[in-house]
Amino acid sequence: KCGAFIIAANHSSHLDAPAILTAVGGSRRIWVAGAQDYFFDTAMKRFVFGKLLDTISFDRHADGVAGLRRCGGALAGGDALLMFPEGTRSRDGRMQPFKVGVAVLAMEHGVPIVPTHIEAAAELLPKGSRFVRSGVVKVAFGRPIAPPQLTANLDQAAARQELTLAVQRAVEQLASKRRQ
């Protein structure tokens, strides 16, 4: 069994997380960082997503510290974590800049980040749609990216930004390979 790791993927549809979890298979526990204002806004959703589907509540409108701590708990327990570093679903399918939280977690917990690209989910269930169209979602996993070692002379802010950009570029490369 491999240790904890983070899956960092582009995000354009509510089909993204189920597609990744299906592609990985049921061989290990994967927690999903989910928007508190969407997945935890009613008692029923809190029960379904929080208790049944291993979703971690993440307040994307606050500073994110509490959500990062909860996500860190999953990593500290040896589990995997799925994050969407864009912070929200893309409206037009183009990737938005990644937020630094994925790098913060990877560096604090010493876990690799697996860049992941999801294709066709937005066409099958676009943002704002209630009905799923028939089709195939494709998921591509890149090589894991190890975080830098934390040392006394490491500029952590610069290292987090550099790691975030490296993960975003890796996801973009996976997308461009698909188009070739």
Side-chain angles (χ1 to χ4, degrees):
K1 175 184 170 181
C2 64
F5 60 92
I6 300 169
I7 298 171
N10 62 304
H11 194 27
S12 60
S13 172
H14 281 311
L15 292 178
D16 294 339
I20 289 172
L21 296 173
T22 300
V24 170
S27 60
R28 67 171 300 127
R29 189 172 196 180
I30 300 175
W31 292 86
V32 179
Q36 180 177 316
D37 59 303
Y38 189 89
F39 293 103
F40 294 86
D41 62 341
T42 67
M44 179 59 84
K45 285 183 178 180
R46 281 190 294 279
F47 175 74
V48 170
F49 291 101
K51 301 290 184 198
L52 300 179
L53 297 178
D54 291 339
T55 305
I56 298 172
S57 172
F58 202 99
D59 186 346
R60 57 189 170 170
H61 302 295
D63 64 5
V65 173
L68 289 175
R69 282 194 188 116
R70 285 190 289 273
C71 290
L75 296 170
D79 292 330
L81 173 68
L82 168 57
M83 292 186 79
F84 298 105
E86 292 169 274
T88 190
R89 289 170 290 153
S90 170
R91 284 211 174 272
D92 60 9
R94 288 183 288 191
M95 261 192 348
Q96 305 304 306
F98 280 15
K99 298 181 187 309
V100 74
V102 68
V104 168
L105 284 171
M107 289 173 63
E108 281 185 8
H109 294 275
V111 299
I113 302 170
V114 179
T116 305
H117 182 261
I118 305 157
E119 182 181 321
E123 290 79 26
L124 302 183
L125 184 63
K127 189 171 184 174
S129 177
R130 292 180 185 232
F131 301 102
V132 179
R133 297 180 186 123
S134 179
V136 176
V137 176
K138 296 178 183 175
V139 177
F141 297 100
R143 293 185 183 276
I145 299 173
Q149 295 293 317
L150 295 178
T151 61
N153 62 352
L154 178 70
D155 179 344
Q156 289 191 33
R160 286 190 296 264
Q161 191 61 39
E162 188 176 312
L163 180 57
T164 301
L165 291 173
V167 172
Q168 182 169 339
R169 283 191 301 267
V171 174
E172 289 167 346
Q173 288 174 346
L174 289 168
S176 68
K177 284 181 184 176
R178 291 267 196 195
R179 288 185 216 115
Q180 294 175 355

